[in-house]
Amino acid sequence: IKAKIVSNKDKTISFVITDLKERSVFKNLGIKKGDQIIEINSQKIKNFSVVMNLFSQIKDLKNLSLKVKRKDFSIQTLNYKTY
């Protein structure tokens, strides 16, 4: 996955997805190129290190919720659960 960081007016950050590998976990979650990730697990993103730590553990997480803004500006919440 490749993404660019966006600084928001409320001093949080978000990520615009610029590239996805075809068989990545993120693609399986429903993330698309151009999506802007604005929240992770119902929390606004305060800094880059929190995101990198979470994404490094993504395969071990039991629950993951990503709020994304699509290219058409619609907002969707993508939920991932392992059983």
Side-chain angles (χ1 to χ4, degrees):
I1 187 170
K2 291 183 183 177
K4 74 175 184 178
I5 299 173
V6 176
S7 295
N8 302 313
K9 291 180 182 179
D10 64 357
K11 299 187 181 183
T12 61
I13 60 174
S14 55
F15 296 89
V16 175
I17 305 304
T18 58
D19 192 28
L20 279 171
K21 290 184 178 180
E22 194 59 38
R23 295 184 178 165
S24 73
V25 172
F26 301 100
K27 186 120 179 166
N28 291 337
L29 288 172
I31 294 174
K32 301 174 184 175
K33 186 176 178 182
D35 282 353
Q36 183 174 0
I37 299 173
I38 55 178
E39 288 184 11
I40 301 172
N41 291 338
S42 301
Q43 299 292 316
K44 291 190 175 193
I45 306 165
K46 299 197 188 273
N47 61 56
F48 186 68
S49 62
V50 171
V51 174
M52 294 312 298
N53 185 43
L54 179 66
F55 283 171
S56 70
Q57 301 172 25
I58 196 164
K59 291 183 179 180
D60 299 323
L61 292 175
K62 300 216 184 277
N63 296 298
L64 177 65
S65 173
L66 300 173
K67 186 178 278 189
V68 299
K69 186 187 300 184
R70 300 285 189 186
K71 285 183 181 180
D72 66 0
F73 299 103
S74 65
I75 304 289
Q76 287 189 313
T77 302
L78 307 174
N79 295 300
Y80 176 74
K81 293 183 182 187
T82 59
Y83 299 96

